[in-house]
Amino acid sequence: MVVTFRRANPSSARRPWLVLGILCIGFFMALLDGAIINIAIPTLIGGLDASYDQVLWIIDAYLLVFSVLLITTGRLGDLFGYKRLFLIGTSVFTVASVLCGLSESPAQLLGARVLQGVGGAILFPQVISSIVAIFPPQQRGRAFGVFGAIVGLAPMLGPIAGGFLLAHLSWRWIFFVNVPVGVLTVVLAAVYVPALRPVRGHRLDLIGVALVTAGLGGVVFGLIEGERYHWGTISGPVSITSIIAAGGLLLVLFVAWQRFQRGEPLVPVRLFTAGRDFSAGNWVGFLFQFGMIGIGLVLVLYLQTARGYSPLQAALVLLPSAVLTAVGSAVAGRLSDRIGGKFVLLAGLAMLALGLVVLVALARADSGVWALLPGLLIIGLAGGATFAPLQQVTMAGVEPDLAGAASGVASTTRQVGGVLGTAVLGAVLSGSMGSALSGELAERANQLPEGLRSRFAETGGHRFSPPPAPAGLSTSDTELFERVGQEAFTAGYVTAMQVTLLVSAGVLVAAALFCLVFRSAGRSRAAR
């Protein structure tokens, strides 16, 4: 059964840019919060008397819940209305932020973060679906450009905002700051965002929800936790491999159920059979997120561990790139409306790969952060040239009544690509770091007194921090040990970073080539 919608507030639909601004406030709040909490790990460990593993789970639980629910919440928007789901998601996220700020133990904060993940998963797909429903085709590129600017800017502003809050207030304010923003968003959305209400009956595919939730839960959990358990056994017969395999099997069963069940499937098969552009867009999105996720990971570690920058200083170094991402996204959105998102997306992905190659060519153990600037500027501009056209070409041929389902599938595909990219590129970085650092330590050991050389060469082969000086050394020997160790660590990390960025560049080149599969240019009818 096809569900159609009518607008409950036609006057609001005539102000699409106002509506987009309101939706982006809530969207920006959720993205910013995810970026802020990453720099608060040491503060949370001390403030809540939490272990490092507990704090990692506080971060990972949000990502796990968010990733698993996107397909279901996207389809719920089709069935019950995008405005209604957006209001629910924003309200849940705001209430969860209050509970996060009031938490007195790691367990309480973990539970509140899970609730935040539910709220974020509910509101996120509704923004993309609303753009498709509200904006005429000739304006969608520009609308997705605004969306892409938020996506690129929020992760960079998060550490800056977090550093300021942690410097002047307690860690609780990284959550409390969401409350006035969330309340304002709910009020404005209730008044100005048009309601799309189903004019026929609706029904949720509960079996599909159970299969896809359990399947994605197994795959995403395994990818997130794999490194922590060394991709081996968790307990008894349960291993990371078995959990991922079970999740994959459930996803296969989910696909079979969607194909053969009668009624309203959670992911209608006609999303993929009506044309190949939606399928191609998901593959490109998967590869794009896989390759992009490693860029921030390795650069932040480089600035903070190899260069000794504080989180706030590291964020400021990366800020020009984020600003260019916002600018590039706005320009790319307009350009996509004129010449088609396919060509803008292909050029953006190719430029991203080029920016990474420039970083690899200019980064040296003895070079300053200014050497990173040319590559960072290219990456910032190119990143902005990908977000908007990727959304446009993926959603271009989607029927309006399937916008929510399409948004959920596309968002989930990219999220899983990001999680897999984190696991794979993290393993590449770790493996490269181990061998590179061992070689640097052995090579520089002759700078130390003979009695310390063997101990120095065998120290910290796989650590993401400079080797610590042994206890009991004289002040001069300690200073020498730490200085040479820092030099070895920086040189080893730069080598590992170059290998990892080249792998990311290769993935992005593959994504660029995959753009040739798109059947249409992704240009609106009005523009044509």
Side-chain angles (χ1 to χ4, degrees):
M1 178 179 63
V2 177
V3 182
T4 57
F5 293 87
R6 63 178 174 85
R7 296 188 185 279
N9 188 357
S11 63
S12 298
R14 292 197 294 267
R15 292 174 291 194
W17 294 105
L18 172 63
V19 173
L20 179 62
I22 295 169
L23 295 174
C24 282
I25 293 174
F27 176 64
F28 182 77
M29 172 185 67
L31 283 182
L32 192 70
D33 189 79
I36 285 178
I37 194 172
N38 287 328
I39 73 164
I41 292 177
T43 308
L44 290 174
I45 291 174
L48 283 175
D49 192 24
S51 67
Y52 183 70
D53 282 345
Q54 286 175 320
V55 174
L56 285 183
W57 251 114
I58 288 169
I59 296 173
D60 291 343
Y62 178 91
L63 177 62
L64 176 63
V65 174
F66 180 83
S67 304
V68 164
L69 295 181
L70 283 172
I71 289 180
T72 300
T73 56
R75 188 56 172 155
L76 285 174
D78 287 333
L79 300 181
F80 298 103
Y82 309 135
K83 174 180 178 177
R84 182 181 300 176
L85 268 292
F86 180 81
L87 288 172
I88 292 173
T90 306
S91 300
V92 170
F93 191 92
T94 304
V95 171
S97 297
V98 175
L99 296 177
C100 286
L102 296 176
S103 297
E104 297 293 339
S105 69
Q108 291 178 5
L109 183 55
L110 176 61
R113 284 287 288 171
V114 168
L115 189 61
Q116 264 194 328
V118 173
I122 294 173
L123 74 88
F124 184 86
Q126 318 315 323
V127 178
I128 301 175
S129 303
S130 297
I131 292 174
V132 174
I134 294 172
F135 280 86
Q138 65 269 25
Q139 293 183 345
R140 283 182 194 158
R142 279 174 285 173
F144 280 127
V146 174
F147 174 87
I150 298 294
V151 171
L153 196 57
M156 290 299 122
L157 291 182
I160 296 175
F164 177 83
L165 291 172
L166 293 173
H168 297 88
L169 300 168
S170 75
W171 63 267
R172 300 180 186 276
W173 283 94
I174 66 176
F175 301 109
F176 285 149
V177 73
N178 296 327
V179 178
V181 178
V183 171
L184 177 64
T185 303
V186 169
V187 172
L188 292 176
V191 175
Y192 292 106
V193 174
L196 298 174
R197 296 174 181 167
V199 297
R200 297 183 61 183
H202 47 259
R203 184 177 60 189
L204 185 62
D205 176 14
L206 295 178
I207 295 178
V209 169
L211 288 173
V212 76
T213 301
L216 284 173
V219 171
V220 175
F221 175 87
L223 293 175
I224 291 175
E225 296 296 299
E227 184 70 23
R228 192 177 307 179
Y229 290 99
H230 306 289
W231 303 98
T233 300
I234 297 176
S235 178
V238 180
S239 65
I240 291 294
T241 304
S242 64
I243 290 177
I244 294 177
L249 177 60
L250 289 173
L251 290 178
V252 171
L253 293 175
F254 168 74
V255 172
W257 171 251
Q258 297 304 286
R259 190 173 184 85
F260 296 110
Q261 75 113 344
R262 301 183 184 277
E264 295 182 48
L266 192 63
V267 179
V269 177
R270 58 194 172 104
L271 267 178
F272 301 92
T273 57
R276 69 188 184 197
D277 285 358
F278 181 74
S279 299
N282 276 277
W283 276 110
V284 173
F286 177 88
L287 293 173
F288 166 68
Q289 197 67 21
F290 186 110
M292 273 290 290
I293 200 74
I295 299 175
L297 171 70
V298 298
L299 289 178
V300 167
L301 284 175
Y302 169 75
L303 291 171
Q304 293 191 39
T305 59
R307 289 300 180 190
Y309 280 49
S310 70
L312 180 58
Q313 290 172 324
L316 290 174
V317 170
L318 299 175
L319 183 59
S321 177
V323 172
L324 274 182
T325 296
V327 174
S329 186
V331 173
R334 290 179 176 271
L335 198 59
S336 297
D337 284 334
R338 296 184 61 184
I339 68 173
K342 170 182 177 178
F343 305 111
V344 179
L345 177 60
L346 193 156
L349 290 169
M351 283 180 60
L352 268 176
L354 174 63
L356 291 177
V357 173
V358 171
L359 274 181
V360 169
L362 297 181
R364 295 289 183 271
D366 56 352
S367 60
V369 294
W370 289 106
L372 302 178
L373 190 59
L376 289 177
L377 294 181
I378 296 174
I379 290 169
L381 190 60
T386 55
F387 291 113
L390 178 57
Q391 295 288 352
Q392 186 179 17
V393 295
T394 303
M395 302 291 288
V398 174
E399 299 175 29
D401 63 302
L402 297 180
S407 171
V409 171
S411 300
T412 300
T413 300
R414 291 167 205 163
Q415 198 71 23
V416 173
V419 173
L420 181 59
T422 300
V424 172
L425 295 174
V428 171
L429 182 65
S430 179
S432 302
M433 184 64 187
S435 59
L437 181 57
S438 295
E440 292 291 341
L441 291 171
E443 182 179 337
R444 297 169 190 267
N446 59 6
Q447 299 180 32
L448 298 174
E450 186 173 354
L452 291 176
R453 292 175 185 176
S454 61
R455 297 169 67 181
F456 180 80
E458 297 170 359
T459 301
H462 293 277
R463 294 177 182 172
F464 281 97
S465 60
L473 298 182
S474 65
T475 302
S476 59
D477 283 347
T478 298
E479 292 177 352
L480 179 61
F481 193 102
E482 291 178 346
R483 179 180 61 80
V484 178
Q486 178 66 53
E487 292 173 355
F489 175 82
T490 301
Y493 187 86
V494 168
T495 300
M497 179 176 73
Q498 291 171 329
V499 173
T500 307
L501 292 181
L502 285 176
V503 173
S504 291
V507 174
L508 292 170
V509 168
L513 293 176
F514 212 93
C515 290
L516 300 175
V517 175
F518 286 113
R519 186 170 55 185
S520 68
R523 188 170 43 164
S524 68
R525 293 186 180 90
R528 286 197 296 268

